[in-house]
Structure formats: C-alpha cells, structure tokens
Amino acid sequence: AQSVSQHNHHVILSEAASLELGCNYSYGGTVNLFWYVQYPGQHLQLLLKYFSGDPLVKGIKGFEAEFIKSKFSFNLRKPSVQWSDTAEYFCAVRSNDYKLSFGAGTTVTVRA
Amino acid sequence: GAVVSQHPSWVICKSGTSVKIECRSLDFQATTMFWYRQFPKQSLMLMATSNEGSKATYEQGVEKDKFLINHASLTLSTLTVTSAHPEDSSFYICSARVPSGSGWYNEQFFGPGTRLTVL
C-alpha cells in the first residue's frame, strides 16, 4: 500500500518569500506523483504531476516540484509567493489502479 | 480541464435519516469515479471506487451498507449515507477519472464537495 507524508502542517510566510513544501512517499510500484491545491471554499485543483522523464516538473502558477527517487521525495517549490497562494496543499501518490493517496496537507498562509 | 459537479453543496439532516449526494461529470463520460471523505484539518481519505455498471469497491474499514454507491450512468455517481449519525458529519468529495481518447486521459477531476452535518 502507498502512503504519503507531508512534513509541514502550517507554513506562514510573507509575500515574495520562497516556499518549499516537503513530501515523502512510499510505494512499491510505478510512481505517479501529484500536488493539488485547495483554495478557500474551492475544489481541489491539480498543480502539477510527475509520471516519468525529467524529474523537475513545472506546473501552473509558477510552482515546480522535484522528484528525487533516492529520497522518495517530491517537494513543491515556488520562488516568490503571492497573497493569492494562500491555500491548502496536498501531495498525492497514485497506484496502478488509479487510486490516490493523499498526504495530510499543508496550510500555507501568505501575509501581504 | 474537465468539470465535475456535486449536489447538494451542503446538507443538514436529522440523525437516522438518509442523505443522497450526487456527483456528475459535466463534459466527459467517466467510467470510474471516486468518493473521498475529508475531516476538518485533515486529508482526503478514499472511501470507495465507483465503476459504471458494476458494484463499487470499498476501502478497508468503510461500511458498504452504510455508504451506498450507485454509478448508473457514465456521468452520474451517487453516494447515499444511510441512517446517518453525527459521526458521519464530514466533507464528502468525489472525483471522476477521464477515460481514454481525451487529452486529460487518466486525470482525476474533483467536485467541489458536499458538507454533511448530521444533528
């Protein structure tokens, strides 16, 4: 069975600061990794995904993530956050039967 | 991206009653839909996989007789919480998997969720 661990429960930072959210996973099969964002009052949206190839993945809204196989990690980064990045961020791993397992989520609060 | 809707967006019911939640894929046909439950400040927990035309498969620990899932068409899956109790109060989210033939093949798109409060 797969599992996902997100290290930070709540991150507070100022606008223009850099953001990095940690994600570690465990899964014995082919790895499909995702980062989702949930803005207040809205549904989950896909930020980016990794299936294979270049381990540095670029997503929407200036986010990127790096897959490091040796560390079983898929950390999310953004060089300069905006107030509108305030949201809940979820890392997820997908198994071969398309089931998603989510991490506990990280609440990101960006202060203007 | 593809659009998934849920209805109702929130519902309040009395203990012992049943509540039906609908999940619809609006612009694509979904042979597979998933139902999740999210407690406050916690992650999404997969409850079951809903397959069109066949029985749903439930995750370990999820009572199939309590959470009835019906996937009668390629655009609609329903989750019925039977004999609801206060501990069933939660945020229920569905997702739909895009089938082959689309640029979003195998992606899952999420509905906005349904807030259930059982009094």
Side-chain angles (χ1 to χ4, degrees), chain A residues 25-61:
Chain A
Y25 67 92
S26 66
Y27 182 55
T30 302
V31 171
N32 293 160
L33 294 161
F34 303 80
W35 275 98
Y36 287 90
V37 61
Q38 188 174 32
Y39 297 104
Q42 296 188 29
H43 59 275
L44 276 170
Q45 299 175 42
L46 180 65
L47 269 181
L48 46 80
K49 62 187 177 186
Y50 172 79
F51 288 171
S52 63
D54 189 344
L56 186 60
V57 180
K58 294 192 183 298
I60 61 172
K61 303 177 187 284

Side-chain angles (χ1 to χ4, degrees), chain A residues 43 49 94 98-99 102-103, chain B residues 43 59 97 106-108 111:
Chain A
H43 59 275
K49 62 187 177 186
R94 190 173 73 186
Y98 305 105
K99 295 179 181 179
F102 288 86
Chain B
S43 186
E59 295 302 299
R97 177 184 149 206
N106 273 338
E107 293 291 340
Q108 282 187 39

Side-chain angles (χ1 to χ4, degrees), chain B residues 10-19 81 83-86 88-89 115-119:
Chain B
W10 59 271
V11 57
I12 301 173
C13 69
K14 292 182 178 180
S15 185
T17 61
S18 295
V19 174
V81 183
S83 187
H85 292 283
D88 298 324
S89 298
R115 174 78 58 195
L116 170 63
T117 301
V118 184
L119 302 176

Side-chain angles (χ1 to χ4, degrees), chain B residues 18-79:
Chain B
S18 295
V19 174
K20 180 185 285 188
I21 302 170
E22 293 184 348
C23 176
R24 292 181 186 274
S25 56
L26 297 186
D27 48 4
F28 66 99
Q29 294 183 327
T31 54
T32 305
M33 292 182 174
F34 300 90
W35 286 96
Y36 298 84
R37 184 172 179 177
Q38 186 180 27
F39 290 103
K41 304 294 185 183
Q42 294 187 33
S43 186
L44 286 78
M45 299 298 295
L46 179 65
M47 298 175 65
T49 303
S50 173
N51 299 297
E52 188 269 336
S54 65
K55 290 183 178 181
T57 54
Y58 291 81
E59 295 302 299
Q60 191 173 9
V62 178
E63 299 175 60
K64 63 178 69 175
D65 294 329
K66 181 164 189 62
F67 298 100
L68 300 179
I69 291 172
N70 185 284
H71 195 153
S73 79
L74 287 171
T75 59
L76 173 65
S77 174
T78 60
L79 168 68

